[in-house]
Amino acid sequence: ASLSLRDFDDVWRVKTGGWRAGLAAAQTPGSRLRALVGFCSVAGVRGNRHQTSYAMANAAVSGSARSLARRARLGAPPKPACLAASFA
């Protein structure tokens, strides 16, 4: 069975949209958000048959979180004023 673009988008939008909403909340002036944690599945690394959208969305969230955490370790404040981490 193939995955339709709509089916792909339904999964992609939920996972990455939630992450983007968290990042936007962290950037809101006066935000008290202290941490943003991306919970990602091993599917983003290993993948599962017929779960392309889920794997790609997890990989996108994980990559974003790791990038923000790396920036913080290098001394540059991450784009949001929060800690970003991912567990896969």
Side-chain angles (χ1 to χ4, degrees):
S2 63
L3 185 66
S4 73
L5 184 55
R6 180 176 180 180
D7 290 339
F8 178 92
D9 189 55
D10 285 347
V11 174
W12 173 267
R13 195 171 6 97
V14 169
K15 185 78 173 184
T16 60
W19 182 253
R20 284 193 312 269
L23 291 173
Q27 292 173 326
T28 301
S31 173
R32 295 177 33 182
L33 184 63
R34 295 180 56 195
L36 185 59
V37 180
F39 290 94
C40 298
S41 167
V42 71
V45 177
R46 296 182 50 108
N48 290 318
R49 189 173 181 193
H50 304 296
Q51 290 191 326
T52 305
S53 53
Y54 184 69
M56 287 181 68
N58 275 287
V61 169
S62 179
S64 175
R66 289 176 187 194
S67 176
L68 291 169
R70 183 172 39 254
R71 286 175 44 105
R73 282 194 308 273
L74 294 173
K79 191 172 182 182
C82 66
L83 168 67
S86 174
F87 304 96

